[in-house]
Amino acid sequence: MALVVIGGVAAGLSAAARARRIDPRLEITVLEKGPVISYGACGLPYFVEGRVREASQLIVYTPEYFRKERRIQVRTGARVISIAHPRREVVLESGERIRYENLVIATGARPDALGIAGAREPHVFTLHTLDDAERLRGFLREKRPRRAVVIGAGYIGVEAADALRRNGLQVTIVERSEDVLLRRDPLLTAAVRHQLEAHGVDLRCGVSVDAIEPASAGGIACDLVVLSAGFRPNVEIAAEAGVEMGRSSAIRTDDRMETNLRGVYAAGDCAEVNHRVTNRPAYIPLGTTANKAGRVAGANAAGGRARFPGIVGTSIVGIFGVGFATTGFSMEQARAEGFTPVSARIEASTRPRYYGGSQTTVELVADRATRRLIGGTVIGEDGAAGRINVIAGALQARMLVEEFEGLDLAYSPPFAATWDPLLIAAQQLMKDL
Amino acid sequence: MALVVIGGVAAGLSAAARARRIDPRLEITVLEKGPVISYGACGLPYFVEGRVREASQLIVYTPEYFRKERRIQVRTGARVISIAHPRREVVLESGERIRYENLVIATGARPDALGIAGAREPHVFTLHTLDDAERLRGFLREKRPRRAVVIGAGYIGVEAADALRRNGLQVTIVERSEDVLLRRDPLLTAAVRHQLEAHGVDLRCGVSVDAIEPASAGGIACDLVVLSAGFRPNVEIAAEAGVEMGRSSAIRTDDRMETNLRGVYAAGDCAEVNHRVTNRPAYIPLGTTANKAGRVAGANAAGGRARFPGIVGTSIVGIFGVGFATTGFSMEQARAEGFTPVSARIEASTRPRYYGGSQTTVELVADRATRRLIGGTVIGEDGAAGRINVIAGALQARMLVEEFEGLDLAYSPPFAATWDPLLIAAQQLMKDL
């Protein structure tokens, strides 16, 4: 048996490590096109900010570690240019061919330049690899830019804006759609706008940038551009090999993370996963999902039996110290998915007033027909991750609003209010159901 | 219709307020034996500490508020000495009789002195009412005690120890049982001991105090004693009226919070509730439960229809900045409840190393036969409340360990690690199942 994994970051390494656990004797090779493996891509904005001092701190494991500790061969600078599935071979750029019995495709995604003219100018950066972040940090140090335009208000866009602002730059974010954070949600967008503007970052939604000039982008004067307008899954070699794509144009898999080709698995930012709220495929590329789906792909590719039941779409992003967390669907997304949603939004203190709490916003979205919770938003300095995770658990458990309202949540003045904001939101939602 | 509520703190006022919502015309009277209503009893240790400056800050609502805003008559200093249920009357200490059609008993609990000799000495304090806390604070200010003994290592005991230590006293906690925080759990006890000792508080378990002397308690020299050895439900007048008690000797109710007497409801620290993990009655007096059960009692007493499905036993206590949170059952408790439990305990970082996380401990307990989660512990400075709440939700949803392992939890470096400690604990537990 030989397992080949294409891609040496989150999904690929999770797959390889899990495969080793399942089969101690399996020959496992990981092929990574870049110079390093196992880096925390989500940490790049904090390296740009300067909070993380060295890019190398973002590297979790080295190829040597995998070789020695896991007996997994990891090759960097090994770009796969095609998959010859009938012969069970991958072909490297060098011409070398490597045989596999089972294959895990974890080729990730790449920034989408949206065909913007000038995207390759020297003052234009993406934040996708360690190299990207080091180049940007070097540019900040050497060129001392004063005005930045960030194209795209997804997670990386707002994190980059936060990082650049903390470095003293004037920052404008330009977003094509009317909403931020990849979520159709005017209330969330308004809250993010409020927080960005309170910290001097200008947010312009509904504005497309067609061209980047040396001293401006989309007509906004600047000497630095961060391109974070979206992702495109790296699926070309898979598609050429006959791997089928889903409607999102990422790779379609079953719940074992197997593609339409037997023995070929896919996971991570190149693949769809099941959305547990709708039980339909979704493309929501995130590191947590990559790790989980990668583990499942690796287990099955090594002869184990594992299922990935899917995600509910949970994420959080920090903007100048405030967490903006979402799970499931917003009202507008829920409508688009065919629900008849109803929502309640409250603001409440995270602790008793006498102890000095901070305010947090909670929005819950339910399906009117079934009374089932299908989404939520939590915004706050304090406990946003914990609260969104409670909602995420409820979505997975298909909890009704009345069940959620009865949750036995922890209370003590230093940590929580007697009625947690989650429960106040549920009580409010019960009135409208 | 007339509703009488005995008790004007958490459960009683929740009942009265809810009853008003259900029936705008109902005549509602709340009888409180003490001088004030609606005080945050859980805030008393923070008033002793000095963090909360004025005892009055702990009062949430006044009788005037209820009179004006809710048209609820609230009488303080109104001690009920008996319930004449056949005549539907409560009898006050003054001899006055008040008629009811429906009655809510929310008489709470009182500190249990355990028959300790000397418990009424002037340097002995409980922490149950505002008056208790003001007396203790006055004693600290005027007598400048240097050494304190805290009898009982429940929530109030450890919080009082923390508060006194922060006031510069030498503090020894003496606990009758082998364990702290009302939970048979040697690992939790060890962690609490470690934290207390790191902050100079001595914890002695398995030691009974029989007598308090003017300058010592249980043989330990001291000039201040806090008696926090447990609670005893205030059920005497209910019992005399024919209300049945459960095995815990608190009032037994059905899931509408109705007692064996039709039209007589009970909620709060005087009543049992259903434990959702076992579906058996339990006596776990906490403010959160009092509020929820009180709402249900009030709704039903006003002619509405509400159910209280119960609790899972979630709580958290802060000890010198670290949260100790538990839900469901510990290993030993689970065994006593008839489960064949299995547990996993891990320590992990709450954030990526490069961002600077803190360590947190997570223990999960599952039932081997059903693979269902039945308990958990989270200890940490960061996110203990949020994490225990996720486990609490899972207990309520009767989640299996493998379902919990697949939770889609939020990740971003400022807030969480890619693999949340909860998921690492679940993975560990899967290996042992």
Side-chain angles (χ1 to χ4, degrees), chain B residues 113-322:
Chain B
L114 302 173
I116 298 172
R120 293 186 173 277
E121 290 283 321
H123 68 307
V124 182
F125 297 86
T126 54
L127 265 182
H128 190 59
T129 64
L130 279 189
D131 192 49
D132 293 340
E134 286 190 301
R135 276 183 57 234
L136 174 50
R137 180 98 160 242
F139 188 87
L140 289 175
R141 200 170 45 233
E142 287 153 28
K143 307 283 180 174
R144 305 214 165 267
R146 290 178 32 242
R147 288 171 302 185
V149 167
V150 174
I151 301 176
Y155 302 107
I156 294 171
V158 297
E159 286 170 345
D162 177 319
L164 294 171
R165 185 75 193 119
R166 288 181 199 251
N167 274 271
L169 281 79
Q170 277 183 38
V171 182
T172 302
I173 306 178
V174 182
E175 164 64 40
R176 254 190 316 174
S177 78
E178 292 300 331
D179 287 305
V180 300
L181 302 181
L182 315 174
R183 194 170 174 98
R184 276 186 287 152
D185 188 340
L187 292 171
L188 179 67
T189 296
V192 167
R193 176 187 301 285
H194 180 82
Q195 176 70 355
L196 287 170
E197 290 179 354
H199 291 81
V201 172
D202 189 18
L203 172 66
R204 303 189 190 176
C205 288
V207 176
S208 280
V209 174
D210 298 324
I212 300 169
E213 312 282 338
S216 70
I220 303 164
C222 65
D223 34 18
L224 168 65
V225 177
V226 174
L227 191 56
S228 51
F231 279 110
R232 187 189 282 263
N234 292 324
V235 295
E236 288 77 2
I237 57 168
E240 283 164 17
V243 172
E244 284 178 13
M245 302 300 137
R247 283 182 52 187
S248 71
S249 68
I251 298 171
R252 188 170 69 201
T253 70
D254 62 16
D255 67 354
R256 302 173 66 246
M257 302 313 294
E258 195 168 16
T259 70
N260 61 305
L261 302 183
R262 285 301 292 273
V264 177
Y265 300 82
D269 291 358
C270 62
E272 293 181 341
V273 291
N274 180 53
H275 199 302
R276 299 177 80 148
V277 175
T278 56
N279 276 320
R280 287 195 287 264
Y283 179 60
I284 304 180
L286 287 172
T288 45
T289 305
N291 281 332
K292 290 197 194 93
R295 256 169 77 95
V296 170
N300 291 321
R305 288 173 63 85
R307 277 183 64 242
F308 185 57
I311 58 153
V312 295
T314 313
S315 64
I316 187 168
V317 63
I319 308 176
F320 298 108
V322 171

Side-chain angles (χ1 to χ4, degrees), chain A residues 14 107 117 143 169 193 254 263 325 337 362 365 425:
Chain A
S14 295
T107 43
K143 306 284 180 174
L169 281 78
R193 175 187 302 286
D254 62 17
E337 294 285 348
V362 175
V365 180

